[in-house]
Amino acid sequence: MVYFPDNYFEKEIRNGFEVSSMMKRAWAGQIEVLSVIREICERHNILWFADYGTLLGAVRHKGFIPWDDDIDVIMPYQDYLKFIEIIDKDNEHYTILSPYTNKEQCFTFFARMIHNDTFMKWWEYPFLMTSGVSIDIFALSGLPDSEDEIRFYYNKVRRLNTKFISSYLKLSYNDNDEIQAREKIRSEILEMLERYRFDDSKKAFCITKYKEKDILPTSIYDKTIKVNFEDRIYDAAGGYDIYLKSL
C-alpha cells in the first residue's frame, strides 16, 4: 500500500491548470500500480523506464503533467514478455491485458496492467473502455541494421496495425472468418515485433501514435537515471533528453 498525505487528494492549481480531487485520486491509484511494477521489476531483474508523458512530467514538473491522466512505462521486448508472464499468473489484485493474454479484449500491441480493486472509465480511441485504474506498458522492439530494411520493415508493421485496428470497427461477432483473419494479422505483427532483439539492435521502436518519431537509438537506454515523480523516485533512460526532443 502506498502512503499519501490527506492533502494530496485536495484540489490544486498546477501551472495555472486546476487538478480536481477526483483526478488526484486517479493519479494516486496509478502511482500504487507503478509501485507494484517497480517492485516486480526489481525482484525479477526486469529493465524498465518511465516513458512518454510520464517521463516528460518527471523532467518538467517532477510529477504528472497537470492535464495528463495516465502513466506510461516502457521495457525491452524480452523484459516485457517476462513481465507479462509474471503478472498473468502471480498476482490476484492485478490483471495484465496484452496481445498475448485476453486477446479479444486487447486491440493494441502494448500491455495494460489493471488494478482489479478499482474502477474507472477512459478513452482508447475509438473506444470508451471500463476497467480498473491502469498503467500502459510499452515494448521496445529491435530493428534491422540498414535504413532501407528499417523503412520496409517498419512500414509493413504500421500497415498491418492499421488493418488490425480497422477490423474491430467493422467486426460482426458472428463472423468467424473476420475473427480468424484478425487473429492472423495479430500473429503476423507479434512475430515481427519479436523478430529483432532489442539487445542486438542499434535502433528500436514501439507501435504508438508518434509513428516514425519512435524509431530511436537503443543507446538512449544504455544507462539508467533516477527521476522524481510525485515525490517518489523511478527509473528513466539516461538519454531521456534525446528521446524527448524527438517527440
Side-chain angles (χ1 to χ4, degrees), residues 183-199:
E183 285 308 306
K184 183 178 179 181
I185 297 170
R186 189 201 310 269
S187 296
E188 187 172 0
I189 293 174
L190 290 176
E191 186 279 323
M192 293 187 73
L193 295 178
E194 295 177 28
R195 185 179 303 171
Y196 297 99
R197 289 181 59 89
F198 173 86
D199 291 344

Side-chain angles (χ1 to χ4, degrees), residues 40-231:
I40 290 171
C41 289
E42 289 176 351
R43 189 188 340 148
H44 294 277
N45 196 31
I46 292 173
L47 190 62
W48 74 285
F49 308 94
D51 204 51
Y52 298 111
T54 304
L55 176 58
L56 179 61
V59 172
R60 183 187 290 172
H61 304 282
K62 299 192 185 310
F64 282 96
I65 299 171
W67 49 90
D68 200 6
D69 61 357
D70 66 352
I71 289 178
D72 305 307
V73 302
I74 198 166
M75 305 172 181
Y77 212 91
Q78 295 306 310
D79 291 284
Y80 166 81
L81 293 176
K82 183 177 179 181
F83 184 87
I84 287 172
E85 182 179 6
I86 290 167
I87 294 296
D88 192 42
K89 66 181 181 181
D90 192 34
N91 206 310
E92 63 180 290
H93 296 291
Y94 295 91
T95 296
I96 193 78
L97 184 67
S98 82
Y100 296 94
T101 59
N102 315 97
K103 289 185 178 181
E104 273 306 304
Q105 301 173 46
C106 185
F107 49 88
T108 68
F109 288 90
F110 59 86
R112 182 167 279 123
M113 182 167 162
I114 301 169
H115 196 319
N116 295 334
D117 303 324
T118 61
F119 176 86
M120 68 181 296
K121 292 183 179 181
W122 39 270
W123 280 102
E124 183 69 53
Y125 182 82
F127 306 107
L128 176 62
M129 310 294 289
T130 301
S131 75
V133 171
S134 63
I135 286 181
D136 293 341
I137 304 171
F138 293 88
L140 284 162
S141 293
L143 286 164
D145 290 334
S146 76
E147 290 300 320
D148 286 343
E149 288 179 303
I150 289 174
R151 190 177 304 108
F152 177 82
Y153 169 86
Y154 177 80
N155 287 339
K156 183 176 180 180
V157 172
R158 295 296 310 191
R159 286 196 304 271
L160 286 170
N161 186 54
T162 298
K163 191 174 180 180
F164 178 78
I165 294 173
S166 297
S167 73
Y168 277 93
L169 302 179
K170 64 182 180 180
L171 174 64
S172 167
Y173 285 95
N174 296 319
D175 189 341
N176 289 327
D177 290 341
E178 186 73 37
I179 293 172
Q180 290 175 11
R182 185 173 65 212
E183 285 308 306
K184 183 178 179 181
I185 297 170
R186 189 201 310 269
S187 296
E188 187 172 0
I189 293 174
L190 290 176
E191 186 279 323
M192 293 187 73
L193 295 178
E194 295 177 28
R195 185 179 303 171
Y196 297 99
R197 289 181 59 89
F198 173 86
D199 291 344
D200 300 330
S201 301
K202 295 179 181 178
K203 290 186 176 182
F205 81 106
C206 294
I207 300 179
T208 73
K209 64 183 180 182
Y210 298 110
K211 299 184 179 179
E212 289 84 352
K213 292 182 179 181
D214 245 332
I215 299 176
L216 293 167
T218 55
S219 58
I220 288 173
Y221 302 94
D222 284 349
K223 294 182 179 179
T224 300
I225 63 167
K226 302 296 183 181
V227 293
N228 185 333
F229 188 85
E230 299 294 325
D231 296 324

Side-chain angles (χ1 to χ4, degrees), residues 2-12 20-21 24-25 28 232:
V2 178
Y3 169 77
F4 295 92
D6 290 342
N7 63 0
Y8 182 81
F9 301 102
E10 295 176 0
K11 178 178 68 176
E12 69 168 286
S20 69
S21 175
K24 299 289 284 294
R25 292 179 185 279
R232 291 164 176 81

